[in-house]
Every structure is written in C-alpha cells, then in structure tokens.
Amino acid sequence: MIPGSLFFAALSELLYAALDTIGMNMGTVARRTETFLRRETMQTVCCTLMGRDCTAYYFGSQSEGTTTPGLQSDIDTLYALNDVNIMFRLSDWKWGKINLLMVRDETTPAQHYLLQVYRLDLPEPETDPLMPQIMELDSQGRVLLSNNFVIDRVALIFGKDHLRRGPSNSDDKDFDYVFALACNTLPPEIEWWFNKLTSRYWPSSEVLEDARRCPCFLVPDGYHKSPNEHLEWRITPNLIERKLMFSLNMVQRKCLVVLKMIKKEQLVKYICHEGCKITTFHFKTALFFTLERTPSNVWTKPRLLECIVRTFRTISEFLFQGRCPHYIVDGVDLFDGKLCRECQISLEKAIKVMIQDDMRVLFHLQIDDLGQRLMPLPRELRVDADVIANICGKLEKEMFEDYYREFRNLVSILCKDEQQDLVTCILRTIRSVLVYAKNEGLSQYKNDCAQFLETHLRFIFATVVSSGRLHTGGRLPLSMMNSETLDTDAASRRLKLAACELDVITCRLDDSVQSACSCGRYQNEQLSERFCEFSARNSVQMTS
C-alpha cells in the first residue's frame, strides 16, 4: 500500500468514519472534556469553601477525549496542594508559609529534586528536623522533606490498604489519585523545551504562550534505582501536556486512539518479561514528536493512515535506539524502569512487520469491533446512536454522583460544629457560598457550581426546619412551602413536603429519569435508554 494512493485514502476515510461511530467524534470529545472540567471545578470550589488551598485536575484519556468505551481508560485525578510554597530561588520565599527550596546535585536523577525545608519567619534553612517522620537531615546538614509527607496524607483518605502505582493512589482500580505540590516557576529542564521550539510545525505560538503560564507539579515519586528514593520528588508538566492535547484536531486524536488499541490488543503479546510494559504515554510522546516535525497539511482525513504509520515509525525509532525521550522534560528516558532491552527489540520488530504488512492489523482489532466495522470496505458507516447515547449518559450520571459526593463532603465538614445548632451552621455555609459567588472573575463553571451548592443548601435548610416543626406538632408556613428553597422538581417537592413513600414517587417518574447518589446506591444500576438519549441531545438538569 502506497501513501497517497486511492486505496490508502479510501481506507483512511473509512477508518475515520468507523471511529466516529464508536464515539470518537467532535461532539462526544467536547462532551468528555466539558464534563471533566466541570467535575474538577466542583472539587476545587468545595475545597476552597472548606478552607483547603487545593486545586483538582483531571488528566489522561478521559478528560482529553482520546478514549472509547472498549479501551476502558481509568480516571486520573491530581490534587495540587497550594498551601506549600515551592521555591526555585531564595527570592521566592514567603513569610508564614511552608517554604521548600528545590535543590539537586550531580547525583540527583533526571527529572527529580530534593526539597529543603526553610523557616516560616525568615528566609533561612531549617537546621533541625522538627518532624522526624517526614523530615530527614542529610550528609550536607540540610533538612529535607520526605515524599511521605504526601503519602501519609493519602493513607488518611484511602486507608492503609489503598492501591499504590508510582505516585498515584486509589481505593478503586478505575481511579488514580495523585497528590502533588504546585510549582509556579518553570525549572531549567522544562524552560529548555520552550526555548528549543523554533521553526517547528507544532505547537503553535498561541498554544506555547498559554502553556507557559501553566504550573508544574512535584509528585512524591523517587527514582527506582536511587538510594534516596524516599526523599526525591519528580517534576511533571501535566498541565502543559493537557494544553497540548486540547489543541489537537480530530485526525490527531483518532491517530492516538488507534495506536492505543493496537498497543492494548496486539503489542502486549510481544512483552516477553513480567514487569515490563509499553504505556499510552509512550505513544502520546511519539505523537508529540511526530506532530512537531510533520506539516499541518498532512493531518487530514484522507491521510489518517499515513499519520498512524508516521507515529508508529517514531515509536519504532525510539525502540531501535533503546531510549524514549520525554517530549518536554530534558534528559529523561521514558523506557527506564518500564521496558527492558529485550522487550524493546521484540516490540520494534513487531511494529516494523505491521507497517510492512500495510497495517492489516487494523482489520483484526476487536476493541469496539473496530476491525469488523472496516469490513467489507465498500459500505456506508453510520454513527452508532446507542454507543453515543451510552457514553453521554454515563458521563452525565458520573458527573452527578461526583457533584453530590462533593456536596455531601462539604455539608458534613462545614456543618459539623458542636457549638452551634445545625440550622445556624447551614445558614453560615449558605452565606459562604454567596460570598464566594460574588467574587469577580469567576469562570462560568465556578458560577454554575456555586449556584448548584446554594440551591441544594437551601433545600437542606428547608428540610431541617420543616422536620423540626413537624416533629413538635407545628405547621409549615405557606411562605416556606412556596419558597425557592424547595424549587427543585415536582417529584422532590412532593417527597419533601408530603413525605410520600419512595415507591409512590418512583412510579410518577418516567424512564428518562436516572437515579444517582453519592453513596453509590445506584452505581451498578443500568442506565435508562431514554435518559441516555436525552443526555446525548441535552445538558441534563440536576435536581434533588
């Protein structure tokens, strides 16, 4: 098969259309991105209202819109702890903050730093490890912060038996949580990347300008071969990478999705040693390097297959050389600790065979029945409405559950005051939300979150007051029954004011309504077909 031939172009068009049918289209990608941006905003808003200086971010395939139902991508969340001041130079010191200076020497592994503890009242280093469980005095007399500083916090949240994969933690195999320290000054190994991007095809100057304003993060992940692994922190430019991913067009996104499918279903067969693996990040890195040196007019629908082959050749080149450079961070080998030399050679040969075989591997892909959708060749492909509807329905339901989970946490923490009654605590929380909502410069997402919290807090206030009055034999004032505090949906109003039985209320609801709860009661409930269809057409309204 020759790139540029009619058959090559026809297969590219068919592959592009086949990916459309399984949810890799502009509408679904936009819905994924918006959903996860809203979820991270709600988590950040609730952290702010609870007095925690923390910012939530969703990274990875789900939020970037480079996944399909069959890939079963997990959800990656990073919580940036902003109450710690990371310094790159002494002029960055701030009074009253936990100040940590990024230091390294010739023995420090690439992409890693040590964090030296400085005093809160003076820009001088601490000389005594005041908290021995998370601080250590090194041979040079420096007090260094152990990466257990974050790990111990995670154990309090997930318990001692939580899953640990590198810097990520989880109480669920489908979710990865990373707690990190925000670093607002770009270190030299990342600043280098901005300076070297001259006369390249990608990324654009606008994307670079936007990316330069992004913070980096220090994650508690030491180098696996280092004797100081427990003291080392790895610098990671996740937010810059997300900016790059958001700038991709649909051809570029589909190229990455196809490579992920081949990796997951075919290339895994050529991993010859336990513990070795080739990751999605390796292929994302190869795509970035391919984009950088490929003219923009190549990334078009009729040339999708050519783009896949180009990226395949890039990863093959890395495997042949035995080194996969990080696209942004200088001096890093992404194969180190992930892929032994024998596996690299095996994978390089397998990829070369796939390219020489005109990428017929595509016809054998079983994920999302992609191979089947490519045969027979001369037929019209239509978008699978059920697949799209299920994706949208699942996104909406999970967002609701996340919203209510954050709302429950907010209420349980802010309303837990033994010195004040519950009504006073709720009113105080409502005032906090109203004050927050009046801040100028809030994004639309943050305003929406504040409105959601205010509405549901008013409902709880009305419920508590109503319950108290009914318990003492009192009557509810008409003003409360008509109040905006109860202005949700008809079913919930009946439930709250008339205390109807749940099954009576349920029978009034049609199958376009989907149950969702932060407690997980409805987690395994099958999605309603009409709800999914409605989700695909509209932005669903959240009610209590």
Side-chain angles (χ1 to χ4, degrees):
M1 192 189 302
I2 303 172
S5 68
L6 292 177
F7 183 76
F8 200 92
L11 184 55
S12 293
E13 296 265 7
L14 182 63
L15 179 59
Y16 189 99
L19 290 165
D20 268 348
T21 67
I22 57 175
M24 268 308 298
N25 55 65
M26 291 186 65
T28 309
V29 167
R31 176 66 71 90
R32 282 190 187 279
T33 300
E34 181 184 6
T35 297
F36 283 96
L37 288 176
R38 286 185 179 277
R39 287 175 65 172
E40 71 180 28
T41 301
M42 175 60 82
Q43 293 181 23
T44 300
V45 169
C46 287
C47 282
T48 301
L49 291 170
M50 288 185 285
R52 299 172 180 172
D53 194 359
C54 176
T55 306
Y57 299 98
Y58 280 98
F59 295 119
S61 304
Q62 292 279 6
S63 62
E64 293 164 358
T66 54
T67 188
T68 66
L71 281 171
Q72 299 179 334
S73 303
D74 57 9
I75 298 174
D76 302 320
T77 312
L78 184 145
Y79 294 94
L81 308 177
N82 304 316
D83 55 345
V84 177
N85 180 43
I86 300 298
M87 305 185 295
F88 196 72
R89 55 187 68 85
L90 285 180
S91 57
D92 298 329
W93 181 88
K94 294 181 181 179
W95 184 88
K97 299 274 285 186
I98 300 175
N99 291 282
L100 303 171
L101 180 67
M102 297 169 62
V103 295
R104 60 178 307 162
D105 53 36
E106 63 279 358
T107 65
T108 310
Q111 202 181 358
H112 289 80
Y113 281 87
L114 305 173
L115 294 180
Q116 185 178 5
V117 182
Y118 269 64
R119 293 174 55 172
L120 279 70
D121 57 341
L122 289 171
E124 297 177 357
E126 287 282 2
T127 55
D128 182 33
L130 303 176
M131 302 174 68
Q133 66 273 24
I134 59 171
M135 295 181 185
E136 186 174 311
L137 198 66
D138 74 348
S139 58
Q140 300 181 40
R142 300 176 299 189
V143 176
L144 303 177
L145 183 71
S146 165
N147 53 38
N148 290 325
F149 170 72
V150 169
I151 295 170
D152 289 347
R153 288 192 181 188
V154 174
L156 292 175
I157 297 173
F158 297 116
K160 294 182 179 179
D161 297 328
H162 66 278
L163 303 175
R164 184 92 193 278
R165 292 187 288 266
S168 67
N169 303 267
S170 180
D171 55 352
D172 189 308
K173 65 180 179 63
D174 295 325
F175 294 82
D176 285 336
Y177 303 93
V178 175
F179 287 76
L181 306 178
C183 175
N184 292 307
T185 302
L186 295 177
E189 58 263 53
I190 293 179
E191 186 70 45
W192 159 88
W193 176 71
F194 287 95
N195 296 331
K196 71 125 180 170
L197 288 173
T198 56
S199 66
R200 306 279 177 151
Y201 291 113
W202 181 89
S204 68
S205 56
E206 293 79 12
V207 172
L208 281 176
E209 185 178 348
D210 197 19
R212 189 179 281 275
R213 292 191 289 267
C214 294
C216 295
F217 304 103
L218 287 163
V219 298
D221 185 32
Y223 182 56
H224 66 286
K225 296 180 181 177
S226 172
N228 296 318
E229 183 177 0
H230 65 294
L231 295 174
E232 293 165 353
W233 298 73
R234 179 164 56 85
I235 193 79
T236 174
N238 298 71
L239 208 52
I240 295 176
E241 291 164 3
R242 190 170 81 168
K243 292 288 184 184
L244 296 178
M245 290 301 300
F246 283 178
S247 73
L248 302 187
N249 63 31
M250 283 307 300
V251 172
Q252 293 155 354
R253 291 172 190 264
K254 291 185 179 190
C255 174
L256 181 57
V257 166
V258 172
L259 292 171
K260 288 180 183 181
M261 290 180 173
I262 297 173
K263 174 197 79 74
K264 183 172 184 176
E265 193 173 299
Q266 299 293 327
L267 292 181
V268 68
K269 302 173 185 177
Y270 299 92
I271 300 295
C272 45
H273 286 291
E274 187 177 353
C276 289
K277 60 180 179 179
I278 187 164
T279 67
T280 294
F281 193 68
H282 291 136
F283 281 91
K284 183 189 292 187
T285 301
L287 176 64
F288 287 162
F289 277 104
T290 308
L291 282 162
E292 185 182 276
R293 58 198 188 197
T294 305
S296 58
N297 61 2
V298 173
W299 300 94
T300 57
K301 188 190 302 186
R303 302 178 74 172
L304 173 58
L305 209 52
E306 178 185 344
C307 296
I308 293 171
V309 171
R310 282 174 179 260
T311 311
F312 237 169
R313 283 179 174 149
T314 301
I315 194 74
S316 179
E317 177 186 328
F318 294 156
L319 291 164
F320 177 76
Q321 295 172 350
R323 184 176 185 276
C324 179
H326 195 292
Y327 182 64
I328 296 174
V329 185
D330 189 27
V332 177
D333 177 13
L334 297 176
F335 287 156
D336 188 12
K338 298 287 185 183
L339 210 56
C340 69
R341 186 61 189 147
E342 187 177 349
C343 288
Q344 292 171 18
I345 295 171
S346 174
L347 286 166
E348 193 264 336
K349 290 179 179 178
I351 291 174
K352 187 175 294 185
V353 168
M354 290 178 186
I355 294 174
Q356 291 172 348
D357 196 34
D358 295 334
M359 295 302 292
R360 287 187 174 88
V361 66
L362 296 173
F363 294 98
H364 300 287
L365 291 176
Q366 297 179 21
I367 296 177
D368 296 301
D369 296 323
L370 184 64
Q372 190 66 33
R373 294 171 190 271
L374 297 176
M375 299 184 294
L377 188 59
R379 67 188 179 97
E380 181 183 358
L381 280 174
R382 295 183 179 180
V383 172
D384 193 328
D386 291 339
V387 171
I388 305 300
N390 277 320
I391 291 173
C392 294
K394 189 171 185 290
L395 287 170
E396 293 287 350
K397 182 174 182 289
E398 290 178 351
M399 183 174 71
F400 295 168
E401 291 172 340
D402 202 36
Y403 269 35
Y404 287 120
R405 188 180 301 111
E406 294 302 319
F407 175 71
R408 184 183 65 179
N409 292 340
L410 177 70
V411 171
S412 64
I413 290 176
L414 294 186
C415 295
K416 188 177 181 180
D417 190 338
E418 297 179 357
Q419 305 300 320
Q420 293 182 320
D421 62 90
L422 184 57
V423 171
T424 304
C425 289
I426 295 172
L427 286 173
R428 184 185 62 215
T429 305
I430 292 174
R431 282 195 292 270
S432 297
V433 174
L434 292 174
V435 169
Y436 176 84
K438 289 181 180 179
N439 290 333
E440 294 184 3
L442 283 184
S443 67
Q444 183 61 51
Y445 289 166
K446 288 186 176 180
N447 275 316
D448 292 344
C449 290
Q451 185 177 3
F452 170 88
L453 294 172
E454 180 193 351
T455 299
H456 287 71
L457 282 166
R458 288 184 182 276
F459 151 63
I460 288 184
F461 170 75
T463 302
V464 171
V465 173
S466 303
S467 177
R469 295 204 178 192
L470 291 172
H471 181 70
T472 57
R475 299 181 63 184
L476 297 181
L478 186 62
S479 60
M480 178 173 290
M481 296 178 68
N482 294 328
S483 168
E484 64 175 354
T485 61
L486 300 177
D487 187 18
T488 54
D489 62 352
S492 47
R493 190 179 301 116
R494 292 189 184 95
L495 178 62
K496 296 156 195 170
L497 299 180
C500 296
E501 293 292 335
L502 180 60
D503 57 346
V504 176
I505 294 300
T506 304
C507 73
R508 294 177 179 268
L509 305 177
D510 61 39
D511 58 2
S512 66
V513 177
Q514 185 72 41
S515 301
C517 180
S518 63
C519 68
R521 182 188 308 169
Y522 304 105
Q523 187 173 5
N524 297 320
E525 184 179 72
Q526 186 173 357
L527 290 170
S528 157
E529 184 177 335
R530 286 190 61 193
F531 171 77
C532 291
E533 292 172 354
F534 185 82
S535 300
R537 296 193 305 268
N538 307 276
S539 178
V540 179
Q541 298 298 311
M542 290 174 286
T543 59
S544 299

